[in-house]
C-alpha cells in the first residue's frame, strides 16, 4: 500500500508540514551545492535539501543504488535506475515517526544557503507544440482563417531545441541580438530583439532509454518519464518571424531556456492524474500508435500553472493562470510519437510540452497571445504597460497540484530576469 | 615554416604514400578500437591507425597534452585543446626520415581490423541550409514562383537536429515509420516511409566554446572549428511533408544521421581554401556581423563531394559530383550566425552545412532534386530505376581535395545501408 500520499503523514523536518511546494508528499529530486561544497544530488523537503547519497546506507536495499548514484554531479544515472523505491524509502525516513531522524538531520542543508543546478546533463532537448489554445492563438496571427494547420490534430508537432543553453531558475537572461525585419521594411536590420517574450511550458524528464530503431509503444511510454518541471521557452518574436521559414525557429529560441530545478516525479503526481479531456466533436481520433485506454483514462495532469511578472516598478503581478489539462496530447503520447520512427531517447533528455494556454485570455501562456502580437498592451495593476518584455523584467512560473483529500504539492519557481543586450 | 603539406614528404608507413584519403599530408583524428580493445583516439595514416596517446611521450611538449587526452573514448578534450601542434608533430614523427619509426610501429593498427566510433560526444547538433542550389531545387517543388524565401540571402537558415541518433559510417539505417499523407488523401496513415532519401552535407566539428550570451565575432569564428567530416542527413520526405509545418522537420530526420568517422582538420585543408565565390549580381551583401575580408578571401573550401549508390543488383553507381564551394555561406559565417544571439557552442558540437548541390543535375545532392520529388526516376547503368531509396540500397559519400602542387587528401567514406522497416 502506497502511504507516501497519506495526508496525515508529517515530517520531522518542521518546515515541510504545510509547505506550499515541498511537503513530505512530494520529495522532488535535484542537484545542489551547499555553500563551499561541490554539486550533488538532493531531495527537497520543506525549506531544506537532503544530501541523499550521504544517507544511502540508512535506506532499504531496493532504494540504495539510486540513492548512492546521487553522489554524482548529475542525476542521469539515478533517473536511469528509477526513483520510485527511493521516494517511498525517503518518505518513511523523513516521516515524523522516523527512528533515524537524528542520523538524517546532519545531512539536511538549508535550501536558502544552497545553489541549485541543472538536475541532469541534458543529452537532447525537444520542444513540442501540444498546447492547442496556444497553437490556435499563435496561428491566428498569421492565418486568421485557418489558425490550426491540417496536421495539428494528428501529429504531436515538435522541433528539436538547443540543449546547451538550458539554465536553472534564477539565471539571468541576456536579451538576444539578431536579424529582424518588420513587414514594411525592405531589408532586415541587426540589433537587439524588440519583441522578447516568454512561453509557459511543462518540462518532461526522460528516465528510460530505447535503442535506435525501436519505437516505445504508448503503453510503455509512461515508464520512460522520470518527472516534470516548469520550462520557460524564452522567445524572440521578431527574430523568429524573420528566420523561421522554412525550417522552424532557431536563434529566436536558442539563446536561453529556463527550467525549475526540481524533478517532480510521476509518483508524486499520481494523485493528480486525470482523464485526458475528450476531444471536441469532429476532431479525429489519435492514430493507433498514440492511443491507449489507460493513457486516455488517466494520462493527463491536473496541474495549475501561474505566470507572474515583476517589473523594476512593481509586482509580482499575475499574467495568467493556466492548467496542464489544456494540453491536446498526454506526456505518454509525446514520448510514443518521438520514438515511433526509431529516434532513441536517453535518461536526462528533456521534452517541453509547448506553450500551455487556457481557452480564455486570463490563462494565455505568452505575451504574444495576451497582447495579440503586441497590438494590445497589457495594463499592469501599477499602471505600467507591456507589449513584450523590457529589460529588468522578471518572469516567474509556479505550479500547484491540488485535489480534495490530498496534500497539495508544487514545483518551486522557474524565474528569469531580462538583462539588456550587450 | 609549415612543412606538413610538402608534397615530397613521405611516410615510413608505406600504405600512406599515394593513399587516396590518408597520406601523411592529412592526419585526421578519430576514435577506434582494435580487435578486443577499448575505444581510444587515433589518427589515420594510410591503411593504419596510430594509437596517439600510446606515443604521446615521443612528441614535443607542445603536442603532448592533446595527444595524452586521446587516451579517452572521445576527442572532446583534445578538440578543446586544439590539434595544430599535434598534427605538425605527428607529421614529423611519421615521416620517412623519422628517427622514432621503430618506437612508433608497435602502436600502428591495421585499419581493416579496427572498429571506428563517433569521434566525440556530440553535445548539440545543428543543421544549416547553406546549399543554395538545394534550397532552390527543394523550394521549387513547393513554390515554383519563388523557390527561395525572402530571408534566404540574409539569414544562414538552420534548425536544431537530433544529436543522439548520429552514427558513424557503416551503421545500417532502419527505414522509419511515421505518419504520411498524400495530397489527395483526406487523412494521414501510419506506416513505413515511402520516400526515403539521403542528403549530401559537410559536417563541421566545433573545437572551441563561447560563454552563453557572448557572440563569436566572424573574425574569431575559424578558431572555433576543429575540423570537417561528411554527413548524410537521411530524410523521410513523405513524413517531412506532413509534419514539418509550422516548426520544421522532426521525425523525418531524427531516426538517423550518418557521418564519416574522421575529423579532417582545418590545417590539413588549408591548401584547399578558396575565395568565397562572389554573390550573383543583385544579391544583398551579408550583414556586418557575417562579413569579414579574410573570410571572404579564403574562407570557402574547394572540396569535391561524390555520392554513390550501390543496390542489391549492382553498383556502386555515381549519383552526383558536387563541391563544397557551392555553399552560399562559409563555415565561419555559420559559426558567427549560430552564436550571434548568445547561443553557446561547446567542443564536440556538430554543424551540418545543409545539402550541397551543384548548379547542374549531375551534382544534385539528394534524390528529391535528382528525381524532382520522385516524378522522374533516375535510371541506373544496370537498368534499375530509383525515385527514392529501396531497402538494401547503400549510399556512399566520398570527398576529395585536390590542388596543383599539393598531395590530394580525402575524408574516408560515409556509408549507410537501408534496412527494411520493422
Amino acid at each position: 500500500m502506497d502511504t507516501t500520499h497519506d495526508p496525515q503523514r508529517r515530517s520531522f523536518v518542521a518546515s515541510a508540514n504545510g509547505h506550499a511546494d515541498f511537503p513530505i508528499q512530494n520529495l522532488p529530486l535535484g542537484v545542489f551545492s551547499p555553500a563551499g561544497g561541490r554539486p550533488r544530488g538532493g531531495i527537497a523537503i520543506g525549506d531544506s535539501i537532503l544530501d541523499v547519497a550521504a544517507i544511502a546506507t540508512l535506506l532499504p536495499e531496493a532504494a540504495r543504488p539510486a540513492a548512492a548514484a546521487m553522489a554524482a554531479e548529475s542525476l542521469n544515472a539515478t533517473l536511469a535506475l528509477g526513483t520510485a523505491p527511493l521516494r517511498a524509502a525517503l518518505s518513511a525516513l523523513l516521516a515524523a515517526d522516523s527512528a533515524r531522524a537524528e542520523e538524517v538531520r546532519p545531512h539536511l542543508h538549508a535550501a536558502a544557503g544552497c545553489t541549485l543546478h541543472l538536475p541532469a546533463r541534458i543529452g537532447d532537448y525537444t520542444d513540442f507544440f501540444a498546447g492547442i489554445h496556444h497553437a490556435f492563438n499563435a496561428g491566428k496571427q498569421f492565418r486568421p482563417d485557418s489558425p490550426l494547420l491540417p496536421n495539428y490534430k494528428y501529429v504531436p508537432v515538435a522541433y528539436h531545441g538547443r540543449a546547451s543553453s538550458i539554465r536553472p531558475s534564477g539565471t539571468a537572461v541576456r536579451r538576444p541580438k539578431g536579424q529582424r525585419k518588420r513587414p514594411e521594411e525592405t531589408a532586415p536590420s541587426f540589433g537587439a530583439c524588440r519583441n522578447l517574450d516568454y512561453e509557459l511550458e511543462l518540462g518532461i524528464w526522460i528516465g528510460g532509454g530505447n535503442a535506435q530503431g525501436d519505437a516505445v509503444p504508448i503503453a510503455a511510454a509512461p515508464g520512460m518519464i522520470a518527472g516534470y518541471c516548469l520550462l520557460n521557452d524564452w522567445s524572440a518574436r521578431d527574430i523568429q518571424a524573420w528566420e523561421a521559414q522554412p525550417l522552424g525557429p532557431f536563434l529566436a529560441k536558442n539563446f536561453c531556456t529556463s527550467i525549475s530545478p526540481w524533478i517532480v516525479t510521476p509518483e508524486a503526481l499520481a494523485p493528480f492524474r486525470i482523464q485526458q479531456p475528450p476531444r471536441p466533436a469532429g476532431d479525429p481520433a489519435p492514430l493507433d500508435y498514440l492511443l491507449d485506454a489507460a493513457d486516455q483514462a488517466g494520462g493527463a495532469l491536473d496541474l495549475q500553472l501561474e505566470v507572474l511578472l515583476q517589473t523594476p516598478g512593481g509586482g509580482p503581478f499575475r499574467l495568467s493562470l493556466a492548467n496542464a489539462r489544456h494540453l491536446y496530447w498526454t506526456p505518454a503520447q509525446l514520448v510514443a510519437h518521438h520514438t515511433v520512427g526509431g529516434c532513441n531517447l536517453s535518461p536526462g533528455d528533456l521534452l517541453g510540452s509547448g506553450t500551455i494556454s487556457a481557452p480564455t485570455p486570463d490563462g494565455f501562456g505568452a505575451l504574444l497571445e495576451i497582447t495579440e502580437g503586441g497590438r494590445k498592451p497589457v495594463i499592469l495593476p501599477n499602471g505600467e504597460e507591456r507589449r513584450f518584455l523590457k529589460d529588468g523584467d522578471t518572469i516567474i512560473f509556479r505550479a500547484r497540484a491540488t485535489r480534495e483529500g490530498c496534500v497539495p504539492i508544487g514545483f518551486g519557481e522557474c524565474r528569469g530576469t531580462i538583462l539588456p543586450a550587450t
Side-chain angles (χ1 to χ4, degrees), chain A:
Chain A
M1 186 188 140
D2 180 5
T3 58
T4 64
H5 288 288
D6 182 348
Q8 305 307 323
R9 178 165 285 193
R10 295 169 62 84
S11 174
F12 69 80
V13 181
S15 64
N17 304 315
H19 196 279
D21 288 322
F22 308 131
I24 194 169
Q25 286 77 10
N26 193 347
L27 303 177
L29 298 89
V31 170
F32 75 104
S33 42
R38 61 162 195 80
R40 68 196 74 176
I43 62 111
I45 175 78
D47 292 338
S48 294
I49 302 173
L50 174 64
D51 182 341
V52 175
I55 54 84
T57 54
L58 303 183
L59 299 172
E61 205 161 322
R64 255 182 250 166
M70 289 180 72
E73 295 199 359
S74 78
L75 299 181
N76 296 65
T78 302
L79 301 184
L81 287 164
T83 62
L86 176 62
R87 177 172 169 279
L90 290 171
S91 177
L93 188 73
L94 292 164
D97 59 1
S98 172
R100 321 295 294 258
E102 294 318 307
E103 293 163 88
V104 171
R105 278 192 208 281
H107 304 290
L108 289 166
H109 299 262
C114 295
T115 304
L116 287 162
H117 307 278
L118 291 180
R121 286 186 316 278
I122 301 168
D124 276 290
Y125 161 52
T126 299
D127 199 16
F128 280 86
F129 193 51
I132 189 167
H133 304 300
H134 167 74
F136 183 91
N137 294 335
K140 197 171 57 175
Q141 301 191 14
F142 305 101
R143 299 174 303 275
D145 298 334
S146 58
L148 290 182
L149 290 164
N151 61 6
Y152 189 85
K153 292 176 177 179
Y154 291 97
V155 179
V157 171
Y159 66 104
H160 297 293
R162 181 81 192 175
S164 73
S165 55
I166 299 174
R167 288 292 172 268
S169 175
T171 307
V173 179
R174 179 73 62 187
R175 180 181 296 270
K177 291 180 177 175
Q179 294 190 28
R180 311 110 356 134
K181 193 181 89 61
R182 295 198 174 102
E184 68 275 17
E185 293 171 335
T186 56
S189 61
F190 178 79
C193 168
R194 294 184 281 225
N195 298 348
L196 187 57
D197 202 357
Y198 61 86
E199 289 192 342
L200 171 65
E201 302 197 18
L202 190 66
I204 301 164
W205 287 100
I206 299 299
N210 61 303
Q212 195 168 355
D214 288 353
V216 177
I218 177 87
M224 295 278 287
I225 296 174
Y228 298 86
C229 64
L230 288 162
L231 185 150
N232 187 340
D233 178 27
W234 302 100
S235 296
R237 300 295 179 197
D238 45 354
I239 295 171
Q240 186 174 354
W242 173 235
E243 75 169 0
Q245 284 298 325
L247 298 179
F250 180 56
L251 298 188
K253 304 275 195 175
N254 71 10
F255 56 97
C256 191
T257 301
S258 299
I259 60 172
S260 59
W262 294 105
I263 301 178
V264 179
T265 64
E267 292 74 28
L269 288 166
F272 312 104
R273 306 305 295 223
I274 53 170
Q275 185 185 358
Q276 173 71 347
R279 294 183 158 206
D283 282 13
L287 295 189
D288 282 350
Y289 76 94
L290 295 170
L291 197 53
D292 177 75
D295 187 47
Q296 293 293 300
L301 270 172
D302 183 7
L303 180 68
Q304 207 177 66
L305 304 166
E306 186 181 22
V307 180
L308 300 148
L309 167 63
Q310 182 161 347
T311 77
F317 308 114
R318 178 187 286 177
L319 290 180
S320 59
L321 192 64
N323 192 302
R325 67 196 312 160
H326 297 303
L327 291 168
Y328 194 71
W329 303 98
T330 65
Q333 287 176 318
L334 304 185
V335 169
H337 182 69
H338 202 315
T339 62
V340 76
C343 181
N344 51 319
L345 300 179
S346 303
D349 285 350
L350 183 65
L351 316 183
S353 62
T355 306
I356 301 176
S357 289
T360 51
D362 57 351
F364 287 176
L367 284 173
L368 176 78
E369 298 166 69
I370 296 172
T371 70
E372 296 182 16
R375 283 183 291 278
K376 297 186 178 173
V378 58
I379 315 291
L380 304 176
N382 68 346
E384 287 188 87
E385 286 188 5
R386 285 294 182 280
R387 295 170 195 271
F388 289 101
L389 296 173
K390 294 192 173 178
D391 295 341
D393 284 353
T394 299
I395 288 289
I396 303 155
F397 294 169
R398 291 186 190 141
R400 192 165 175 78
T402 61
R403 183 172 171 176
E404 206 178 311
C406 288
V407 174
I409 65 173
F411 275 44
E413 282 184 352
C414 177
R415 168 189 289 259
T417 299
I418 307 301
L419 301 179
T422 48

